[in-house]
Amino acid sequence: MSEQATQPEQVRKGLEGVVAGETSISDVDGHRCQLIYRGYHIDELIGRASYEEVGYLLLFGALPTRAQLAEWTTQLESQRAMDPPLTAFLQTLPKAAGPMATLRSLVSLMGVLDPSENDTSLESIKRKAVRTIAVIPTLVAAIGRHRAGQPLLSPTPGVGQAATFLYLLHGKEPTPLQARALDAYFILLADHGFNASTFTARTVTGTQSDYYSAITAAVGSLKGPLHGAANRKAMEMLTEIGSVEQIEHYVQRTLADHKRFMGFGHRVYKGADPRAKHLKEIAKRLGESVGETRWFDISERLQEAVWQAKKLYINVDFYSASLLHYLGIPTELFTTMFACARMVGWSAHVLEQAADNRLIRPLALYIGPRELKFVPLDHRK
Ligand code: CMC
């Protein structure tokens, strides 16, 4: 049977506005510009809950009790170290290897090394998810240190995901402000409905393929500039602008060249991205704490200039750029930071898809030619 069951007017390019499934993990309300995690508005969680608590909420459906949080934290701490084959593999790679390509390969290698790779029971997926969420900050910090030619460090117990990452990358304890800033960043980026990478993970899971394949594919999807790489591109944009005096010129040139302002616009939110105001506030505080507000100042003025010129709202990636920069994270690692935060969301969606699975297989409207006659090889022009 032909796939042409849909009429042309029913095709929504990029699946825009299409409801592709149900979820109880997060609600991206584009009209009210709200982001809800399992019933909690993010404004309710930010500044009150830790990333570990929010991760537990997203993965298991409810905020943990004190005892559950203690057990969850212990579980994460006990699984943070990188397996020796992963370290060995990383060290064979050129220093210049792309961080997202490296992360994608490391996650894939985790699957190769897991004897229960193909066990798609919910218990097995949960076990793999906990392990992967626990180890992701270690992997990303190791990628950063490998790129910088520095020796890799081992995680120490007693600190959360965010503080662990900063220690593993920089080799020194972060300040409480820095640890809280990254913790909030992780919370704000932990999940976001059926965004491209999450939908990718669900599609892979829908075929009854394994957890690692789903996450590997999600990392590959996040790598694109219209998705996760926008934070890196936003920082490159700020660097190219260089000073507030250059903003107007940059805006006019970008408009004239019909190029995109990175960190602006959103497919779903019709107004302000609800995450952006928190990230802006954190970036401001971090900048002030190091006595260097240049990147924040450029960002704030650019936000205003782009609004005046094109009425575009900023999205999550815009102030993520200066925030991550103020944490001393190299720009090339930015998208892997997004992956660190989103690992919990991807994992929750893999579990949800696997728990009530139906193969994801939409139709395509064929628009190519029909009824062509075969031409033998020697007669083709
Ligand atoms: N800069 C300039 N113009 C823009 C931008 C932008 N960032 N975003 C949208 N527009 C314009 C676009 O040119 C078009 O105008 P016109 O109708 O005059 O041609 C109109 O807005 C609609 O754009 P669209 O591409 O049809 O909208 P979309 O829903 O497909 O795009 C988007 C959403 C996020 C891909 C887009 O806004 C974009 O490219 N933004 C820059 C990249 C970015 O920041 N990505 C991060 C997205 S949020 C986090 C994440 O998912 O990772």
Side-chain angles (χ1 to χ4, degrees), residues 166 170 178 235 282-299 319-329 334:
L166 290 169
H170 297 313
Q178 290 169 332
M235 192 65 221
I282 299 164
K284 185 168 191 270
R285 258 184 278 145
L286 284 173
E288 285 166 356
S289 77
V290 292
E292 145 67 302
T293 58
R294 177 176 164 210
W295 302 110
F296 179 81
D297 294 342
I298 296 175
S299 304
Y319 281 102
S320 291
S322 43
L323 185 158
L324 295 173
H325 179 81
Y326 284 133
L327 289 174
I329 297 165
F334 278 14

Side-chain angles (χ1 to χ4, degrees), residues 313-357:
Y313 287 96
I314 52 166
N315 62 45
V316 70
D317 290 312
F318 187 65
Y319 281 102
S320 291
S322 43
L323 185 158
L324 295 173
H325 179 81
Y326 284 133
L327 289 174
I329 297 165
T331 307
E332 308 76 52
L333 280 193
F334 278 14
T335 311
T336 56
M337 298 307 295
F338 195 150
C340 256
R342 190 55 59 84
M343 191 57 74
V344 81
W346 289 333
S347 300
H349 280 273
V350 168
L351 272 168
E352 189 177 58
Q353 181 70 34
D356 183 21
N357 188 45

Side-chain angles (χ1 to χ4, degrees), residues 94-363:
K95 289 191 176 57
M100 281 298 275
T102 304
L103 181 63
R104 193 188 56 214
S105 306
L106 287 170
V107 174
S108 180
L109 186 56
M110 283 176 71
V112 174
L113 297 170
D114 187 341
S116 66
E117 177 198 4
N118 293 319
D119 182 348
T120 54
S121 67
L122 295 183
E123 273 323 299
S124 183
I125 295 175
K126 267 185 208 159
R127 185 189 61 71
K128 291 163 187 153
V130 173
R131 165 68 176 141
T132 312
I133 293 164
V135 81
I136 184 81
T138 316
L139 298 186
V140 173
I143 292 170
R145 288 185 73 87
H146 175 68
R147 284 175 68 78
Q150 295 164 326
L152 307 192
L153 299 173
S154 300
T156 49
V159 275
Q161 296 275 108
T164 296
F165 171 80
L166 290 169
Y167 165 72
L168 291 177
L169 183 72
H170 297 313
K172 63 174 193 223
E173 301 288 329
T175 64
L177 177 70
Q178 290 169 332
R180 276 201 311 274
L182 189 61
D183 194 83
Y185 169 85
F186 281 167
I187 291 173
L188 291 165
L189 279 88
D191 194 46
H192 208 235
F194 280 14
N195 61 88
S197 55
T198 299
F199 193 63
T200 302
R202 290 190 76 124
T203 305
V204 174
T205 306
T207 69
Q208 294 185 349
S209 186
D210 66 288
Y211 171 84
Y212 300 103
S213 296
I215 302 297
T216 302
V219 175
S221 170
L222 188 72
K223 185 167 175 279
L226 295 187
H227 192 10
N231 60 8
R232 179 170 59 79
K233 296 277 180 191
M235 192 65 221
E236 287 166 5
M237 176 179 69
L238 299 179
T239 312
E240 188 187 334
I241 294 170
S243 69
V244 285
E245 290 73 30
Q246 293 302 316
I247 289 174
E248 201 45 48
H249 173 67
Y250 180 86
V251 169
Q252 293 312 323
R253 206 182 61 216
T254 305
L255 290 174
D257 294 346
H258 302 287
K259 291 201 172 142
R260 299 222 157 191
F261 298 100
M262 300 314 282
F264 287 84
H266 201 275
R267 172 64 67 80
V268 182
Y269 294 122
K270 304 301 172 212
D273 184 323
R275 302 164 292 182
K277 63 176 187 290
H278 295 291
L279 295 163
K280 180 175 183 176
E281 183 55 35
I282 299 164
K284 185 168 191 270
R285 258 184 278 145
L286 284 173
E288 285 166 356
S289 77
V290 292
E292 145 67 302
T293 58
R294 177 176 164 210
W295 302 110
F296 179 81
D297 294 342
I298 296 175
S299 304
E300 196 171 39
R301 295 281 291 277
L302 181 62
Q303 179 185 354
E304 287 161 17
V306 174
W307 176 256
Q308 292 305 329
K310 210 160 179 206
K311 297 286 175 280
L312 281 172
Y313 287 96
I314 52 166
N315 62 45
V316 70
D317 290 312
F318 187 65
Y319 281 102
S320 291
S322 43
L323 185 158
L324 295 173
H325 179 81
Y326 284 133
L327 289 174
I329 297 165
T331 307
E332 308 76 52
L333 280 193
F334 278 14
T335 311
T336 56
M337 298 307 295
F338 195 150
C340 256
R342 190 55 59 84
M343 191 57 74
V344 81
W346 289 333
S347 300
H349 280 273
V350 168
L351 272 168
E352 189 177 58
Q353 181 70 34
D356 183 21
N357 188 45
R358 183 159 166 83
L359 177 72
I360 297 172
R361 203 312 187 181
L363 300 177

